[in-house]
Amino acid sequence: MSQERTAQLIEQKLSMLEPKFLRIDNESHMHSGPATDSHFKVTLVSSAFDGVRTVARHQKVYGILSDELAGPVHALSLHLHTPEEWQTDSTIPDSPACMGGSKHD
Amino acid sequence: MDIMQVIKDQIENNDILLYMKGSPNQPLCGFSARTVQAVMDCGQKFAYVDVLSNQDIRANLPKYGNWPTFPQLWVKGELIGGCDIVTEMYEKGELKTLLEEAAPAE
């Protein structure tokens, strides 16, 4: 499966949250191991997160992407905001570089 | 003992508990490194479990907490989050407050 395919699948599945903003960064190049579609960063702005605490927002997205997380996706960095929060602060933090701990997986 | 019971005991018996890849002095994943740095910087004692050397826990903790990835920070029996959430809380100063309140009295 190509990395574009995985990113497309993520985008397709997350469309159910009716995102106001959605960006998917493939960060697999920053990490060890042979997989090129393994590490992603998702920035998503949606009204679905209104009044939902951060842990539950992440769990919602993990649930939607459970097949991908059980398969090719090894790391998923999530930055999930309500439209209101996004208006106040729309910075997307950098993800850390890999240190190789899972390279024998 | 059943692995789910082991996890439950760890979470219930440690007020501040970090599941990570590697150890605080030698983290083996960038996400774990960033998270443990934030936790250490708050200055409270904490427990940690290296999931790379505890594969049973690595395989089963995601089911226990409905959270598929590592690191995971648990405080007073509650899942606080992974690297993204912990980093965000650290930058806002919320992590320090949370950990100070959770730390056992000396």
Side-chain angles (χ1 to χ4, degrees):
Chain A
M1 192 187 286
S2 79
Q3 51 186 285
E4 275 159 43
R5 176 105 178 89
T6 302
Q8 269 171 14
L9 261 175
I10 292 174
E11 183 173 356
Q12 215 172 52
K13 293 201 169 176
L14 291 179
S15 67
M16 68 175 288
L17 294 172
E18 299 178 358
K20 303 263 191 294
F21 176 90
L22 174 60
R23 180 169 137 184
I24 298 165
D25 294 310
N26 187 334
E27 300 188 321
S28 305
H29 62 280
M30 291 160 61
H31 300 276
S32 60
T36 52
D37 55 352
S38 57
H39 291 64
F40 291 89
K41 173 162 79 178
V42 169
T43 309
L44 197 161
V45 179
S46 165
S47 306
F49 300 136
D50 284 342
V52 180
R53 64 200 181 99
T54 318
V55 169
R57 293 179 192 183
H58 282 237
Q59 284 168 330
K60 192 184 275 253
V61 170
Y62 289 146
I64 295 170
L65 300 177
S66 58
D67 289 347
E68 286 64 36
L69 280 158
V73 176
H74 175 82
L76 184 63
S77 195
L78 296 176
H79 301 283
L80 310 173
H81 308 280
T82 66
E84 209 170 60
E85 292 164 354
W86 187 245
Q87 241 176 11
T88 321
D89 183 5
S90 57
T91 50
I92 302 173
D94 289 336
S95 299
C98 187
M99 299 173 85
S102 303
K103 67 179 145 206
H104 301 298
D105 283 3
Chain B
M1 204 188 330
D2 174 57
I3 187 67
M4 286 304 188
Q5 188 61 46
V6 171
I7 292 171
K8 190 164 181 277
D9 287 349
Q10 287 177 345
I11 288 171
E12 283 176 0
N13 295 331
N14 294 283
D15 288 333
I16 305 174
L17 175 63
L18 181 66
Y19 289 97
M20 64 180 291
K21 292 182 176 174
S23 65
N25 289 329
Q26 199 170 13
L28 290 171
C29 152
F31 297 95
S32 288
R34 185 177 282 186
T35 305
V36 78
Q37 190 57 51
V39 170
M40 286 195 293
D41 202 57
C42 292
Q44 303 301 328
K45 277 190 198 158
F46 65 97
Y48 79 94
V49 174
D50 174 8
V51 298
L52 293 178
S53 47
N54 291 277
Q55 292 293 337
D56 270 10
I57 290 174
R58 184 182 183 183
N60 288 283
L61 181 62
K63 286 179 255 175
Y64 183 89
N66 188 23
W67 195 272
T69 56
F70 297 97
Q72 296 186 16
L73 179 64
W74 290 76
V75 174
K76 292 259 179 203
E78 192 189 341
L79 175 61
I80 302 306
C83 179
D84 297 321
I85 293 178
V86 170
T87 304
E88 196 188 310
M89 290 179 73
Y90 172 72
E91 284 167 358
K92 288 183 184 164
E94 294 169 6
L95 186 66
K96 197 166 195 301
T97 314
L98 177 79
L99 297 187
E100 278 170 4
E101 283 170 6
E106 293 290 328

